[in-house]
Amino acid sequence: MSLNKTFSSDGKKCTVVFTVNPQAASGATKVHLVGDFNSWNTTANPMKKGPDGSFTLKKQFETNKEFQFRYVLDGNVWINDWKADKYVRSEIANDDNSVLDTTVPKAPKVSKKPTSKAVTKNKDKKPAAKKPAAKKTADKTPAAKKTTAKKAAAK
């Protein structure tokens, strides 16, 4: 069993693919998705049987809500989804209901600080001043010492 959710780019719709695997279907010939979104109507949302014996249904929901649901096998066996977002106690039967949560996931926080590799272009800013070239180490030869001494005396 599984719930595969995808969200619209505007964050207003959640498309869910419900899947009942062959083991959970237990040889059923018909499986229906029922829940508070269809007034628990046992025939409103028939699922499509695959060649492997699994059943699937794609359905769209409003986001940022929770919906209780279950599957009905052959019109009389009610089962939960093993991969539901959570479970709540049924108000009608002595059992739990599966819950689908369509809360839009929060995007990860993105740092606004530029990285050292980032290049910032701003027409109003002046280019950074160039760093002075590294000082050359004086030659330790006697001729170099004389030249340096002459330059110092001339100042």
Side-chain angles (χ1 to χ4, degrees):
M1 293 202 197
S2 66
L3 302 173
N4 187 1
K5 301 181 221 177
T6 54
F7 295 87
S8 62
S9 58
D10 63 4
K12 293 181 180 179
K13 296 290 178 187
C14 177
T15 302
V16 181
V17 177
F18 295 87
T19 303
V20 177
N21 60 35
Q23 295 82 11
S26 302
T29 58
K30 294 180 184 178
V31 177
H32 289 81
L33 174 67
V34 299
D36 54 10
F37 47 84
N38 66 9
S39 300
W40 299 95
N41 184 328
T42 59
T43 59
N45 294 111
M47 300 180 75
K48 183 177 179 181
K49 187 173 185 176
D52 65 350
S54 65
F55 289 83
T56 59
L57 176 71
K58 183 190 281 190
K59 187 162 178 58
Q60 197 170 66
F61 295 88
E62 191 175 335
T63 56
N64 300 319
K65 295 190 176 217
E66 289 186 346
F67 301 92
Q68 293 183 34
F69 72 98
R70 295 187 82 185
Y71 303 108
V72 179
L73 312 177
D74 291 330
N76 60 7
V77 177
W78 292 62
I79 63 170
N80 279 318
D81 192 308
W82 304 335
K83 301 284 184 169
D85 295 319
K86 68 180 185 180
Y87 304 92
V88 296
R89 200 76 181 148
S90 171
E91 295 177 8
I92 298 171
N94 188 22
D95 209 346
D96 289 338
N97 289 333
S98 301
V99 176
L100 167 68
D101 182 354
T102 62
T103 302
V104 178
K106 292 182 181 178
K109 290 185 180 179
V110 178
S111 173
K112 293 185 180 182
K113 294 179 182 179
T115 61
S116 59
K117 293 182 181 181
V119 177
T120 306
K121 292 183 180 181
N122 190 338
K123 294 178 183 176
D124 297 334
K125 287 189 175 183
K126 294 180 181 177
K130 290 185 178 180
K131 292 182 181 178
K135 293 183 180 179
K136 294 181 182 178
T137 47
D139 192 348
K140 302 289 183 187
T141 61
K145 287 182 182 178
K146 288 180 186 175
T147 307
T148 307
K150 285 182 185 177
K151 286 182 181 177
K155 289 184 180 179

